[in-house]
Structure formats: structure tokens, C-alpha cells
């Protein structure tokens, strides 16, 4: 049975990664998207690396309660998904796509937080049009991009990179994907990293 579980996880990864990459923007949201031209793929210098401690954070969320790194230390592996800006094309499809993968996050004892540098009212309106998201959405608006700066993913125009971080239960960064800002990440590598960290227990 112990040999079968990794095979099932791998099969799930292979099935779900393309689905996430192609998940459409929810219908009610599609008509309110701000068009964005093609941008330089990245525009910042990472300040952390795999093996670094995750910088502390304490951020407000759309739902009300704040999220803190200490909420997860010793309890859950944590995935942080930074997206550049609300009401933009790629970002508006990326987070709804995570609903497809919820079971895989839970199977790997991993929580997920979505973060942008937008303020709470903007995130409230935007996420309401996405429909139900199973994870908290937090604002790194003030001090502007404070966490993004600690991580080295704040771009020169004030938005963040499109980036994924996997933090283990000890608070150590185990995976980083600072992705081309113009494209939705293939979650296959992240999901594989989650399974690997979870298997270390």
C-alpha cells in the first residue's frame, strides 16, 4: 500500500497540472478584466533561496482574520501564491484554478494563501466575482509590498512578481517559482515538491 500511494499521487499530478493551466476565467469576471500588455517576464531580484527561513508576515485578509506565518509553523506546510494584480487576465484565472487542486493540497497537509499588493476593498470585489475560493486571500498593500520586498519579488512598477513559495512546517522555504508574469504557472513542479516534503514526515 505504501508503494501505491506515491503512484496515485503522481497520476493525480499528471492529470491535474494541464487542467490548472487551462482553467478558464469565471464568466461573471471575464467582462471586467483590465487588458495588460506583455511585460518583461521578471523585474526583481530574489532576496531568499530554497533553504532560507521564510520571512515573518502578518497580513489582513478579505474574510477578516489576519494570516501570520506563526499560524502554520509546526502545523501545516504552506504554499504562498503571489499574483501581480487584481482584475488582470492571467491572475483572474490562476486562483480559481486552485479549486481543482484542493484535494491534493489537503492530501499533502498543505495550506494555501493567495496574496497581492492590492488593498482589501479591491481584493474583496475581485474575489467575489471569482466565486468561492477555499483559501484565504491576503493583502500586502501596506506598508506597500512589505512581504514582497522581503522576498525580493516587488517589481519596479509596484506590483509583485507572479511567484509560488512552498514553506515547510519548520518555516523553511522548500520550493520557489518566480514565474513569467505573463503566464500562468504549471503547478506540476509545485505539487511534486509538496508531495516530497509531505513524504518526509
Amino acid at each position: 500500500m505504501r508503494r501505491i500511494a506515491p503512484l496515485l499521487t503522481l497520476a493525480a499530478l499528471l492529470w491535474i497540472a494541464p487542467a490548472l493551466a487551462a482553467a478558464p476565467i469565471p464568466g461573471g469576471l471575464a467582462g471586467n478584466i483590465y487588458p495588460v500588455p506583455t511585460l518583461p517576464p521578471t523585474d526583481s531580484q530574489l532576496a531568499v533561496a530554497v533553504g532560507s527561513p521564510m520571512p515573518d508576515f502578518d497580513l489582513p485578509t478579505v474574510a477578516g482574520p489576519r494570516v501570520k506565518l506563526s499560524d502554520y509553523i509546526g502545523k501545516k506546510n504552506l504554499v504562498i501564491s503571489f499574483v501581480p494584480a487584481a482584475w488582470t487576465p492571467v491572475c483572474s484565472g490562476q486562483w480559481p484554478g486552485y479549486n481543482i487542486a484542493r484535494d491534493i493540497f489537503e492530501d499533502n497537509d498543505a495550506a494555501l494563501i493567495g496574496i497581492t499588493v492590492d488593498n482589501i476593498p479591491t481584493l474583496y470585489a475581485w474575489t467575489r466575482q471569482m466565486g468561492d475560493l477555499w483559501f484565504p486571500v491576503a493583502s500586502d498593500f501596506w506598508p506597500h509590498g512589505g512581504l514582497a520586498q522581503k522576498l525580493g519579488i516587488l517589481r519596479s512598477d509596484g506590483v509583485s512578481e507572479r511567484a509560488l513559495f512552498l514553506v515547510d512546517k519548520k518555516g523553511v522555504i522548500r520550493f520557489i517559482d518566480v514565474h513569467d508574469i505573463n503566464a500562468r504557472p504549471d503547478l506540476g513542479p509545485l505539487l511534486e515538491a509538496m508531495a516530497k516534503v509531505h513524504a518526509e514526515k
Side-chain angles (χ1 to χ4, degrees):
M1 189 65 183
R2 292 175 65 86
R3 293 182 178 179
I4 294 174
L7 294 175
L8 292 176
T9 300
L10 178 59
L13 295 176
L14 293 174
W15 172 80
I16 204 165
L20 285 167
I25 295 173
L29 177 57
N32 294 314
I33 296 300
Y34 180 78
V36 178
T38 301
L39 299 170
T42 59
D43 180 43
S44 62
Q45 184 67 44
L46 259 178
V48 295
V50 171
S52 299
M54 178 65 194
D56 198 14
F57 62 85
D58 180 354
L59 300 173
T61 68
V62 169
R66 300 181 72 86
V67 287
K68 303 182 286 292
L69 178 62
S70 59
D71 295 337
Y72 301 93
I73 298 296
K75 301 171 187 171
K76 288 278 187 182
N77 300 313
L78 176 63
V79 174
I80 295 175
S81 169
F82 263 94
V83 298
W87 303 107
T88 55
V90 179
C91 303
S92 296
Q94 183 175 336
W95 284 355
Y98 291 159
N99 286 341
I100 301 172
R102 180 175 183 174
D103 288 349
I104 296 180
F105 280 79
E106 293 177 347
D107 289 347
N108 288 290
D109 206 19
L112 170 64
I113 303 174
I115 304 177
T116 83
V117 298
D118 298 289
N119 63 17
I120 287 291
T122 298
L123 289 175
Y124 176 81
W126 183 49
T127 55
R128 277 175 64 87
Q129 290 210 356
M130 286 181 184
D132 293 331
L133 297 176
W134 62 271
F135 52 89
V137 172
S139 168
D140 190 24
F141 177 70
W142 196 258
H144 187 75
L147 177 57
Q149 280 193 312
K150 290 179 183 177
L151 293 166
I153 58 166
L154 189 65
R155 295 170 68 104
S156 57
D157 61 359
V159 303
S160 77
E161 301 286 4
R162 186 179 312 284
L164 294 165
F165 296 86
L166 170 62
V167 182
D168 67 19
K169 294 176 184 178
K170 297 178 181 177
V172 176
I173 297 172
R174 302 293 299 273
F175 173 88
I176 300 173
D177 178 6
V178 179
H179 209 75
D180 180 346
I181 196 170
N182 304 291
R184 200 180 305 178
D186 175 357
L187 287 191
L190 169 66
L191 300 179
E192 289 180 25
M194 286 167 48
K196 181 179 178 182
V197 169
H198 182 56
E200 294 174 358
K201 65 180 180 181

